[in-house]
């Protein structure tokens, strides 16, 4: 978490200065641990809570992990360094406009979650135009 905060401070000083960045993470037990919550509170980190039963709300889950896993599927690596190198290469090959679309989709997913009042839904069963 310290490294993440430092990277935000260095790469997005405008957001850092006004503390207008928001952390969104899933409900993994390591993210909900008391020590993590104390750290985030102590450092005034703004958080968007993950709705229960909605793992597909995290961009890493619905966008990033599949983009990294598909090209590497079925490949045997000789070392951890090979895994890191190949993962880095795949990450860098994702075009910037794909990340933009990911976050546009993320906003739509949040609107669907709000409309459904946090209740579980599947696929595109929520109409945003109603």
């Amino acid at each position: 978490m310290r490294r993440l905060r430092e990277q935000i401070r260095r790469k997005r000083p405008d957001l850092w200065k006004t503390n207008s960045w928001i952390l969104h993470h899933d409900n993994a037990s390591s993210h909900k641990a008391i020590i993590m919550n104390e750290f985030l509170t102590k450092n005034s980190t703004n958080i968007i809570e993950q709705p229960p039963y909605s793992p597909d709300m995290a961009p890493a889950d619905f966008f990033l992990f599949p983009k990294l896993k598909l090209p590497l599927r079925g490949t045997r690596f000789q070392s951890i360094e090979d895994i890191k190198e190949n993962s880095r290469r795949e990450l860098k090959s994702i075009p910037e406009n794909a990340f933009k679309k990911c976050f546009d989709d993320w906003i739509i997913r949040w609107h669907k979650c709000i409309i459904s009042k946090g209740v579980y839904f599947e696929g595109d069963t929520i109409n945003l135009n109603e």
Side-chain angles (χ1 to χ4, degrees), residues 55-114:
D56 60 343
M57 293 300 292
D61 290 333
F62 73 80
F63 170 74
L64 188 59
F65 295 155
K67 291 263 189 216
L68 292 176
K69 286 185 347 186
L70 273 170
L72 302 175
R73 179 173 282 151
T75 306
R76 289 267 196 222
F77 297 101
Q78 299 299 314
S79 67
I80 298 294
E81 285 308 312
D82 284 347
I83 296 170
K84 289 179 182 178
E85 182 181 324
N86 282 275
S87 297
R88 235 180 261 119
R89 185 186 70 241
E90 291 302 330
L91 181 61
K92 288 180 179 181
S93 75
I94 301 171
E96 188 174 326
N97 64 343
F99 284 98
K100 167 78 170 104
K101 182 176 179 339
C102 163
F103 286 103
D104 291 343
D105 290 348
W106 186 60
I107 291 167
I108 292 168
R109 286 169 187 256
W110 272 103
H111 284 290
K112 288 180 178 183
C113 188
I114 291 166

Side-chain angles (χ1 to χ4, degrees), residues 37-48:
N37 286 327
E38 288 173 350
F39 177 85
L40 296 172
T41 300
K42 180 179 119 189
N43 289 287
S44 303
T45 303
N46 300 310
I47 303 169
I48 293 178

